[in-house]
Amino acid sequence: MQEPILSTDTFILLSAILFIVGVLTTRFSNRLGVPSLILFMLVGMVMGSDVLGIIYFDNAALTQLIGVIALVIILFEGGLQTNWKDVRPVIVPSLSLATIGVLLTSGIVAGAAKMILGLDWLESILFGAIVGSTDAAAVFAVLKGQNISPKLGSTLEAESGSNDPMAVFLTVAMIELITVPEASIMSLIGDFFLQMGLGVLLGVIFGKIAIASLNSINLDSSGLYPVFATAFALLTYGITAFLNGSGLLAVYIAAILIGNAEIAYRHSIFRFSEGFAWMMQILMFVILGLLVFPSELFTPAILIQGILLSAILMLVARPVAVYLSTINMNFTNKERIFLSWAGLKGAVPVVLATFPLLAGIEGSHQIFNVVFFVVLTSALIQGATIPYAAAKLGLNGPKKTTPMQSLELISLGKADAEMIEYEIESDSAIIGKTLAHIPFPEGSLVNAIIRKGELIAPTGNTSIMSGDFLYILSARKNKAHLKKLLKEKAVYKQNVMDLK
């Protein structure tokens, strides 16, 4: 009886150490100019059998399971944070990059893999499919908090969120062509439209169901709402995948709908999802690092092959794909250069590289090691230089404003009320008015104002200024009325525009 207890205790201890080290590495990533995902993977590689020998791990099936669950959580959080107003103007180029761009990138890399790795054509195309897409986890992590042009940031986020399904489909399709002789390309094309169509349809359906459920259910604790929302993300993926649809696409679309809707306990759901996504990123990248054996990865053959394929991917395949898939789409050459350089690789290619391992395809270990090296190179070189590239190309956006403080509200239980956070925009109709003269809905109370990083205790004589962050306690039934009041624009500015 003692040994299983010790094994369990050891597992819990090692898990705690890995998460603590993973969290602490984020403190050093910005100072070192290295994306945190690289440090997470390095933690796994160091803890693995080839370096410190603390953990021996070679379970590709478990890695795939953890990776898919982590991607669902990361895509859900990314979708919640996606502002539809920013994404809508760039939805066409984003979808073009996510489909045509991935096909072009995969094709060019496949040709290079044929010559460099010595694989046959189907295996070469499989390699191209694995590394052909940008990675949502990597893009969301690197762009978060960066001062990038909203147009480019939205394009990259929408592309990375919607091209994972394309990469998964291409990878599974090529494995099927390799392992099932009677499989035909025409049947696979039909499967593609079925998967994507179901992904879109079920994503919209489950997104609307989740919104209605979150707003109608009255739970005893506000802490249950984020759990409820996350459960919908997993449910969306599970049912869509069960029906042979693209579960990842469905999760991303559902998350966008939820994130742009008026939902109860929005602040709690967003904060929980952000923390949970970070946790899954740490777990996923550490596990991926554990799966790799440095003694096999850093051999002369893998180094040479990986460097050549990384160079072709970053300097040839991705730029060609970006330029051809964004023709006549109102992008400047500088913007196309940035989109080309920001095509990050991350967890998705490594997770997809476990598919041929589990399928027993010849040369799968070579494919996995080269894919991992390509991901390391992309994340280390491209990920670390994205802010510099944006600044050098003059593509920085307006400085992002976020409140310096936040208010945490104890669960209101059955009180059916919540705390609303709102930033006052420069054209708001209530600027200059005192709180006493603003017709707030009955029962609404401004509890705090954050102005230029300082906390102001509001009174009836407090005037509202542009950039203020208001924290308002309101009954949920008055939320729509309150939002309408806060979003009302100043009349005099509209009159000036009319005169012009």
Side-chain angles (χ1 to χ4, degrees):
M1 289 294 291
Q2 187 70 12
E3 185 175 348
I5 294 174
L6 288 175
S7 298
T8 301
D9 293 343
T10 302
F11 175 79
I12 293 173
L13 175 61
L14 289 174
S15 299
I17 292 173
L18 288 175
F19 278 119
I20 290 173
V21 172
V23 171
L24 292 178
T25 56
T26 62
R27 293 287 298 170
F28 300 102
S29 63
N30 289 333
R31 297 180 185 179
L32 297 175
V34 178
S36 55
L37 60 93
I38 285 288
L39 299 180
F40 297 155
M41 285 193 286
L42 290 178
V43 168
M45 293 170 68
V46 170
M47 298 286 282
S49 56
D50 270 3
V51 184
L52 295 181
I54 297 175
I55 303 173
Y56 181 85
F57 184 81
D58 63 352
N59 193 328
L62 181 59
T63 301
Q64 186 182 115
L65 173 63
I66 293 173
V68 172
I69 294 174
L71 288 173
V72 170
I73 301 302
I74 293 167
L75 275 173
F76 183 67
E77 192 270 339
L80 289 179
Q81 300 289 347
T82 299
N83 190 329
W84 177 244
K85 290 182 180 179
D86 294 333
V87 170
R88 185 167 52 190
V90 297
I91 193 66
V92 172
S94 296
L95 292 178
S96 180
L97 286 167
T99 51
I100 298 172
V102 171
L103 285 172
L104 291 172
T105 303
S106 300
I108 295 172
V109 173
K114 171 68 176 172
M115 294 184 292
I116 296 171
L117 301 181
L119 304 172
D120 63 32
W121 270 113
L122 286 179
E123 291 170 350
S124 299
I125 297 173
L126 172 62
F127 180 90
I130 290 173
V131 299
S133 67
T134 58
D135 181 69
V139 170
F140 292 154
V142 171
L143 293 185
K144 185 171 291 184
Q146 296 294 341
N147 191 25
I148 307 296
S149 162
K151 174 185 176 182
L152 297 178
S154 298
T155 301
L156 286 169
E157 290 181 358
E159 177 201 1
S160 63
S162 57
N163 72 2
D164 285 347
M166 184 70 173
V168 172
F169 169 79
L170 289 176
T171 300
V172 173
M174 293 314 304
I175 290 175
E176 185 174 344
L177 286 175
I178 294 171
T179 58
V180 183
E182 58 270 19
S184 67
I185 295 178
M186 293 305 298
S187 65
L188 294 177
I189 293 175
D191 287 342
F192 170 77
F193 287 105
L194 174 63
Q195 289 187 24
M196 299 305 147
L198 279 175
V200 173
L201 176 63
L202 294 178
V204 172
I205 291 174
F206 279 103
K208 290 184 178 296
I209 292 174
I211 293 168
S213 300
L214 287 167
N215 286 330
S216 60
I217 194 169
N218 193 7
L219 300 173
D220 290 335
S221 171
S222 63
L224 292 174
Y225 286 86
V227 178
F228 194 53
T230 304
F232 263 103
L234 296 172
L235 181 68
T236 301
Y237 177 87
I239 292 181
T240 306
F242 179 77
L243 295 175
N244 199 31
S246 175
L248 294 177
L249 181 60
V251 168
Y252 187 61
I253 290 175
I256 292 177
L257 290 175
I258 296 170
N260 287 271
E262 296 294 341
I263 54 174
Y265 296 98
R266 179 187 184 87
H267 186 79
S268 297
I269 292 172
F270 276 49
R271 292 295 176 265
F272 175 88
S273 298
E274 183 179 17
F276 196 19
W278 271 110
M279 180 178 174
M280 296 308 295
Q281 281 192 57
I282 294 172
L283 176 62
M284 177 173 60
F285 285 115
V286 169
I287 290 292
L288 293 176
L290 286 172
L291 189 63
V292 174
F293 291 83
S295 60
E296 298 178 3
L297 181 65
F298 298 111
T299 61
I302 297 296
L303 288 174
I304 293 172
Q305 293 168 350
I307 290 172
L308 289 174
L309 286 168
S310 295
I312 292 171
L313 178 60
M314 290 188 290
L315 303 177
V316 180
R318 171 69 178 179
V320 169
V322 168
Y323 271 77
L324 292 180
S325 58
T326 59
I327 293 176
N328 298 325
M329 291 189 183
N330 199 28
F331 284 99
T332 66
N333 283 329
K334 287 185 176 181
E335 290 173 334
R336 288 190 173 95
I337 291 172
F338 181 79
L339 290 174
S340 301
W341 189 247
L344 292 177
K345 311 304 170 189
V348 170
V350 182
V351 172
L352 291 180
T354 64
F355 284 42
L357 281 174
L358 296 175
I361 292 176
E362 185 179 355
S364 57
H365 282 88
Q366 179 190 19
I367 291 174
F368 180 85
N369 286 325
V370 176
V371 166
F372 194 92
F373 188 87
V374 169
V375 169
L376 278 178
T377 306
S378 172
L380 188 59
I381 296 176
Q382 293 175 292
T385 56
I386 281 179
Y388 174 79
K392 200 70 176 176
L393 294 169
L395 298 175
N396 283 333
K399 186 177 179 180
K400 295 181 179 180
T401 57
T402 55
M404 299 298 294
Q405 296 89 3
S406 63
L407 298 180
E408 294 296 333
L409 187 64
I410 299 175
S411 170
L412 295 179
K414 297 291 184 178
D416 200 26
E418 62 179 289
M419 186 73 77
I420 296 170
E421 176 190 65
Y422 190 82
E423 180 184 6
I424 301 299
E425 299 178 354
S426 59
D427 58 352
S428 174
I430 64 173
I431 291 178
K433 293 184 179 181
T434 62
L435 293 178
H437 290 88
I438 299 174
F440 288 111
E442 184 179 355
S444 299
L445 178 65
V446 179
N447 292 82
I449 298 176
I450 304 297
R451 180 176 296 165
K452 297 180 180 179
E454 295 184 358
L455 176 65
I456 296 176
T459 66
N461 295 322
T462 302
S463 297
I464 301 299
M465 297 177 60
S466 176
D468 284 353
F469 284 88
L470 305 186
Y471 289 86
I472 308 170
L473 183 62
S474 176
R476 282 168 58 185
K477 64 180 182 180
N478 294 329
K479 188 175 179 180
H481 181 192
L482 180 60
K483 288 283 187 179
K484 182 179 179 181
L485 171 68
L486 295 172
K487 291 180 179 180
E488 186 177 343
K489 304 302 181 184
V491 176
Y492 75 93
K493 291 197 173 184
Q494 184 64 46
N495 289 339
V496 170
M497 294 299 295
D498 291 341
L499 289 173
K500 288 183 179 180

